[in-house]
């Protein structure tokens, strides 16, 4: 056991200051343990939000030596024994008291985001997705909503005036997840991200990725791909040219507004693998036209909205290798 030097911010919305404390620290403890000991021995009215103490609830977000971190995941062994450790509330959000901040901004922005729109012609329980589509967005669902990424983003950290127009990294990964969801019936996720959520404010400094306790690659896997898709639709010179020359009366019937899902189950012979590589593919479909009669040329490059699965829709992945039959090409 050692005695360590701490500076902890005490105050409320009206103001506050950093107070000096000397607190006992045991081997293997984290910063949240020290805050609890400080409450028990010196400051019984010190306010600190926490819940699971396992890095899964995101409640104990704070700034430790100026870095946004989870108190329960920051080990004391990472600091030098003679180092003074400064603990302050999240800087981006209004202080309620001591280390507790008002993060309702994030929930308000979440309410503004259009929710998942299920396909109208598919009943709940009948949704089918390829495993690759599941894996593509699974990373974003690891978010524990600690809002460290929101706190460190300089767009709102240093500029409160940007908050009405900017949703932040937490909501950008949600927008990216829905945009790549094969069953989401909305086709305007990119436009919403650009026009309503402030995607253009982000200049991809990757500070949000650096502080994420779940190691989600927010910038590389969500924000940059979304920016690229927005650029394809809004700024690609070929797309702009196509909007000028292609009108509604020059185009064939458009594809259905809902997402394309796979056809019915494949019937196979008894004893064979549940795969039919001769399954008829979905015929080519024309591109969707917006209300003004314009079409995006990059959308015309694909011959169909979605490819049919040779496995059928009643197969659970991964498939048991014992149920697969392999055929030699010469037999």
């Amino acid at each position: 056991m050692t005695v360590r030097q701490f500076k902890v911010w005490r105050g409320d919305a009206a103001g506050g200051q950093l107070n000096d404390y000397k607190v006992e620290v045991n081997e293997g403890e984290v910063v949240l343990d020290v805050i609890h000991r400080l409450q028990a021995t010196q400051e019984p009215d010190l306010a600190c939000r926490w819940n699971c103490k396992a890095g899964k609830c995101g409640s104990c977000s704070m700034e430790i030596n100026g870095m946004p971190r989870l108190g329960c995941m920051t080990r004391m062994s990472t600091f030098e024994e003679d180092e003074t450790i400064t603990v302050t509330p999240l800087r981006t959000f209004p202080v309620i008291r001591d280390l507790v901040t008002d993060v309702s901004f994030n929930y308000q922005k979440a309410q503004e985001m259009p929710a998942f729109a299920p396909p109208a012609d598919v009943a709940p329980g009948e949704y089918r997705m390829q495993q690759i589509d599941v894996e593509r967005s699974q990373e974003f669902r690891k978010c524990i909503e600690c809002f460290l990424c929101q706190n460190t983003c300089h767009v709102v950290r240093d500029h409160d005036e940007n908050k009405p127009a900017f949703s932040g990294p937490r909501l950008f990964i949600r927008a990216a997840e829905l945009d790549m969801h094969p069953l989401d019936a909305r086709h305007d996720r990119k436009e919403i991200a650009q026009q309503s959520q402030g995607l253009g404010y982000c200049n991809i400094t990757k500070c949000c990725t650096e502080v994420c306790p779940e190691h989600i690659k927010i910038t590389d896997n969500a924000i940059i791909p979304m920016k690229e898709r927005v650029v394809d639709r809004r700024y690609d010179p070929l797309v702009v040219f196509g909007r000028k020359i292609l009108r509604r009366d020059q185009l064939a019937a458009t594809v259905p507004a809902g997402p394309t899902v796979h056809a019915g189950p494949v019937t196979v012979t008894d004893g064979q693998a549940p795969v039919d590589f001769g399954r008829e593919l979905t015929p080519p479909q024309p591109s969707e036209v917006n209300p003004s009669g314009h079409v995006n040329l990059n959308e015309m490059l694909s011959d169909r909205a979605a490819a049919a699965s040779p496995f059928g829709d009643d197969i659970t992945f991964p498939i048991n290798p014992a149920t697969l039959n392999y055929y030699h090409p010469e037999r």
Side-chain angles (χ1 to χ4, degrees):
M1 181 179 65
T2 59
V3 177
R4 307 288 288 273
Q5 185 72 30
F6 276 79
K7 285 182 177 291
V8 180
W9 196 89
R10 298 296 312 274
D12 53 26
Q17 69 285 325
L18 286 170
N19 294 344
D20 293 316
Y21 301 98
K22 290 185 177 180
V23 190
E24 294 180 352
V25 177
N26 296 319
E27 184 178 358
E29 288 187 331
V30 295
V31 171
L32 186 59
D33 291 322
V34 179
I35 296 298
H36 287 168
R37 182 169 293 113
L38 182 60
Q39 289 176 320
T41 59
Q42 302 181 48
E43 296 284 4
D45 61 343
L46 174 63
C48 175
R49 184 182 285 130
W50 71 284
N51 188 11
C52 74
K53 202 176 177 291
K56 290 303 178 184
C57 72
S59 299
C60 61
S61 299
M62 57 186 69
E63 296 195 6
I64 303 172
N65 285 354
M67 175 67 71
R69 297 185 179 187
L70 293 180
C72 69
M73 299 298 290
T74 306
R75 293 196 171 275
M76 291 299 302
S77 58
T78 60
F79 304 103
E80 300 293 336
E81 288 193 5
D82 59 348
E83 182 178 359
T84 299
I85 301 169
T86 304
V87 182
T88 57
L90 298 180
R91 173 179 159 184
T92 301
F93 308 115
V95 173
I96 297 177
R97 182 180 173 185
D98 299 339
L99 302 180
V100 178
T101 56
D102 181 4
V103 295
S104 58
F105 160 81
N106 304 286
Y107 300 114
Q108 293 170 359
K109 290 300 180 180
Q111 287 182 328
E112 296 172 4
M113 171 173 287
F116 170 74
D121 56 342
V122 182
E126 297 181 357
Y127 300 158
R128 298 293 183 269
M129 291 176 60
Q130 296 295 324
Q131 184 63 30
I132 188 174
D133 293 323
V134 175
E135 295 172 351
R136 186 179 293 120
S137 62
Q138 189 66 31
E139 175 189 17
F140 306 140
R141 301 196 68 85
K142 296 191 301 180
C143 176
I144 60 175
E145 294 197 327
C146 61
F147 304 128
L148 293 181
C149 60
Q150 301 283 86
N151 175 68
T152 196
C153 181
H154 62 274
V155 175
V156 290
R157 184 179 177 91
D158 300 320
H159 304 280
D160 281 341
E161 66 274 12
N162 290 337
K163 286 186 177 179
F166 187 74
S167 295
R170 163 57 189 121
L171 281 304
F172 290 157
I173 66 173
R174 177 61 175 160
E177 176 193 351
L178 292 173
D179 186 51
M180 64 179 64
H181 199 299
L183 294 177
D184 185 64
R186 296 190 67 105
H187 300 284
D188 57 352
R189 299 287 180 186
K190 291 172 280 293
E191 288 74 11
I192 293 174
Q194 174 69 15
Q195 299 172 9
S196 303
Q197 295 182 299
L199 182 65
Y201 282 80
C202 173
N203 56 8
I204 56 175
T205 58
K206 297 189 179 183
C207 51
C208 52
T209 301
E210 292 178 1
V211 301
C212 179
E214 288 293 325
H215 308 291
I216 302 172
K217 293 181 173 58
I218 301 173
T219 309
D220 291 337
N221 293 349
I223 296 178
I224 291 178
M226 280 292 286
K227 280 178 169 285
E228 290 174 345
R229 292 195 288 272
V230 168
V231 168
D232 285 343
R233 282 180 175 266
R234 295 176 61 87
Y235 304 109
D236 190 308
L238 290 178
V239 175
V240 174
F241 179 71
R243 288 173 180 158
K244 293 181 179 296
I245 64 173
L246 297 178
R247 305 296 303 177
R248 185 186 299 273
D249 56 1
Q250 298 173 304
L251 300 168
T254 61
V255 297
T260 302
V261 295
H262 301 311
V266 176
T267 302
V268 297
T269 306
D270 293 340
Q272 291 187 356
V275 181
D276 180 11
F277 292 100
R279 184 178 182 183
E280 182 179 356
L281 298 177
T282 305
Q285 299 289 337
S287 298
E288 185 178 1
V289 184
N290 62 30
S292 63
H294 298 159
V295 66
N296 296 330
L297 291 185
N298 59 321
E299 294 183 357
M300 297 179 65
L301 300 179
S302 177
D303 61 343
R304 55 185 178 272
S309 170
F311 293 92
D313 296 327
D314 58 344
I315 301 301
T316 302
F317 289 88
I319 297 176
N320 184 358
T323 64
L324 292 174
N325 290 339
Y326 299 92
Y327 301 95
H328 192 280
E330 296 180 357
R331 295 180 183 176

